[in-house]
Amino acid sequence: MSSNSASLVSLQKSVKQLRKEAGFRRIKVSQAAEDLKKFCLDNAQKDPLLMGVPSSDNPFRPPKSCALL
Amino acid sequence: MEMAAQPSDTLATLKTESETLKTKLEEERAKLHDVELHQVAEKTEALGQFIMKTRRTLKGHGNKVLCLDWCKDKRRIVSSSQDGKVIVWDAFTTNKEHAVTMPCTWVMACAYAPSGCAVACGGLDNKCSVYPLSLDKNENLAAKKKSVAMHTNYLSACCFTNSDMQILTSSGDGTCALWDVESGQMLQSFHGHAADVLCLDLAPSETGNTFVSGGCDKKSCVWDMRTGQCVQSFETHESDINSVRYYPSGDAFASGSDDATCRLYDLRADREVAIYSKESIIFGASSVDFSLSGRLLFGGYNDYTINVWDVLKGTRVSILFGHENRVSTLRISPDGTAFCSGSWDHTLRVWA
């Protein structure tokens, strides 16, 4: 394949992809941002790293026990 | 498949159309850019001080740790290293449960199967292989090895889909692919990156059959797994994208790059909506992951630190020291109680 026809095919693919992306239905950032924020706040209580979890509930927090048998 | 060139499809007309479409895309995206994420989060309560410490240090690799993945049981971790070894750890006790020696060095990718019964790994061998994990500690795991994926350059990332039956891979050959584990057959391939693909992440199962990839072409792409098509792409980073991770709702994803920034892209707004950066952070971000609620973004960096970002406000809430060389990989545990980081200092650290 000559480099000219290779560039042509590549450009055709690229234009086809751009046409597809141009037709994408987008929403406003304000709407998207509100939804991201809502998800964070709705799930905050269930996020152990965010809320901090008492040592008794976090398997990694208490130091690993040395079993002296 | 030969694409018959139309008389009008000369290089010049296509180039013009390409430019016109790119400009139109930017304009369309800009029209909907009515506010910044951190502005929407202005009234949100600020996060307090975080005390996160290293709770476990996993020592045993003989060289740089390159990748890690958690088992769904929330306690086992698989890690892979430049020394060619893949180790399965019990993170609670720090015991090594399994070790496999790969036939190559630089095992850049590893993943735990959803069942917890197997691990997948690969790197400079250009393959992704699956090793069933035996309950018999004395059994030679390498004997049961199954070669699944074959690329024409290094394997950079791999992950099982929702079952042990399929694996998604990304490669230095510029492609991603979906494979059937049992037969080793390629089910779908994903072409569109112009250079090495360095990372990928599967969308949360509720979101449907898509995944995101990032590469050396500074682009991140969202793919439809059934059709092989790229449905959205983003090009705002200024250097290689080392890591991509979906926001827990599936509506956005974060990326970490050699340009020293992490960025958040919203899929429905189809644009970048936040940049996590500081003038003092000048080294690349190698690995990113979200806390369970998506409020915190953890980034491992090449300056040996881990920066913790408030995803909504765009500010850094904590900086974690401990590793003695680059942080190369970082993952939150499945129940969100801890996260694990792997480093070029040969160790893994579990933080909580």
Side-chain angles (χ1 to χ4, degrees):
Chain A
M1 221 190 204
S2 76
S3 75
N4 216 30
S5 51
S7 317
L8 194 67
V9 171
S10 154
L11 206 45
Q12 278 173 329
K13 282 189 191 161
S14 161
V15 166
K16 192 173 173 198
Q17 180 65 28
L18 284 168
R19 281 180 196 153
K20 242 192 290 175
E21 292 187 20
F24 190 88
R25 287 214 306 269
R26 296 170 192 87
I27 65 172
K28 285 191 191 172
V29 175
S30 51
Q31 177 63 60
E34 278 298 333
D35 290 348
L36 290 175
K37 183 175 85 172
K38 183 172 191 301
F39 186 89
C40 279
L41 299 179
D42 286 351
N43 289 282
Q45 293 302 316
K46 296 181 244 164
D47 186 341
L49 285 171
L50 186 68
M51 302 311 299
V53 162
S55 295
S56 49
D57 291 347
N58 189 325
F60 290 104
R61 282 236 174 141
K64 65 176 167 128
S65 52
C66 302
L68 296 171
L69 297 166
Chain B
M1 184 192 87
E2 191 84 42
M3 277 204 258
Q6 305 302 314
S8 56
D9 283 356
T10 60
L11 227 57
T13 53
L14 281 175
K15 276 198 182 139
T16 315
E17 186 177 0
S18 175
E19 291 313 306
T20 313
L21 284 169
K22 280 188 188 162
T23 311
K24 183 174 177 216
L25 253 174
E26 271 171 41
E27 283 171 4
E28 291 300 314
R29 281 173 169 167
K31 269 188 217 166
L32 298 164
H33 188 200
D34 52 349
V35 79
E36 297 294 337
L37 174 60
H38 64 84
Q39 289 172 297
V40 165
E42 240 158 39
K43 302 250 176 66
T44 306
E45 204 180 312
L47 298 173
Q49 275 284 358
F50 279 94
I51 303 171
M52 270 177 263
K53 293 189 203 166
T54 300
R55 305 290 172 175
R56 301 286 190 278
T57 304
L58 306 179
K59 295 187 188 182
H61 277 297
N63 212 322
K64 308 175 172 67
V65 176
L66 303 175
C67 191
L68 79 91
D69 192 20
W70 288 84
C71 177
K72 281 199 159 75
D73 71 1
K74 311 162 233 179
R75 70 184 279 169
R76 283 172 180 79
I77 291 176
V78 62
S79 62
S80 62
S81 163
Q82 184 192 344
D83 69 357
K85 291 229 171 33
V86 174
I87 299 178
V88 175
W89 314 78
D90 176 333
F92 286 179
T93 62
T94 74
N95 290 340
K96 298 178 205 29
E97 296 202 335
H98 302 277
V100 173
T101 304
M102 292 281 286
C104 65
T105 56
W106 289 90
V107 188
M108 295 170 227
C110 63
Y112 230 115
S115 67
C117 298
V119 292
C121 52
L124 284 189
D125 58 354
N126 299 358
K127 295 187 205 169
C128 184
S129 305
V130 174
Y131 292 84
L133 294 176
S134 169
L135 289 171
D136 176 1
K137 303 284 161 80
N138 294 323
E139 188 173 350
N140 179 12
L141 290 184
K144 295 243 170 88
K145 163 179 165 176
K146 188 188 283 241
S147 265
V148 175
M150 282 283 299
H151 278 280
T152 55
N153 209 325
Y154 65 88
L155 186 82
S156 54
C158 62
C159 95
F160 286 85
T161 58
N162 300 321
S163 77
D164 285 20
M165 301 289 93
Q166 292 181 356
I167 288 189
L168 202 50
T169 58
S170 63
S171 167
D173 67 15
T175 72
C176 299
L178 181 66
W179 309 82
D180 176 85
V181 173
E182 192 55 51
S183 63
Q185 212 190 341
M186 185 196 285
L187 301 170
Q188 188 60 264
S189 67
F190 306 90
H191 297 256
H193 278 287
D196 306 22
V197 186
L198 297 180
C199 52
L200 61 83
D201 192 35
L202 201 56
S205 41
E206 315 79 50
T207 321
N209 290 3
T210 60
F211 73 94
V212 61
S213 65
C216 291
D217 56 357
K218 312 176 200 172
K219 225 168 52 165
S220 49
C221 297
V222 179
W223 305 89
D224 180 324
M225 281 167 68
R226 278 175 285 218
T227 64
Q229 297 300 304
C230 167
V231 292
Q232 285 172 275
S233 67
F234 305 91
E235 219 166 335
T236 62
H237 272 295
E238 293 168 19
S239 187
D240 299 3
I241 298 175
N242 299 311
S243 176
V244 285
R245 193 72 65 212
Y246 271 91
Y247 186 77
S249 72
D251 286 334
F253 70 90
S255 54
S257 163
D258 275 352
D259 69 7
T261 72
C262 296
R263 295 175 196 236
L264 186 68
Y265 298 88
D266 187 285
L267 295 175
R268 296 176 313 147
D270 187 40
R271 63 168 297 124
E272 175 190 291
V273 293
I275 305 183
Y276 307 100
S277 66
K278 269 177 112 64
E279 264 184 45
S280 53
I281 301 175
I282 57 172
F283 284 82
S286 63
S287 194
V288 296
D289 204 355
F290 287 99
S291 69
L292 272 194
S293 66
R295 183 68 190 269
L296 299 175
L297 179 68
F298 296 89
Y301 289 73
N302 292 341
D303 64 2
Y304 315 175
T305 68
I306 293 165
N307 288 298
V308 187
W309 302 90
D310 178 331
V311 168
L312 299 180
K313 290 187 181 282
T315 51
R316 179 175 64 186
V317 295
S318 195
I319 177 169
L320 303 173
F321 300 97
H323 278 297
E324 295 167 15
N325 207 319
R326 292 193 186 190
V327 178
S328 52
T329 179
L330 186 156
R331 296 297 291 266
I332 300 290
S333 70
D335 62 356
T337 53
F339 70 92
C340 184
S341 57
S343 165
W344 280 18
D345 69 7
H346 309 187
T347 72
L348 291 102
R349 283 170 180 253
V350 180
W351 308 74

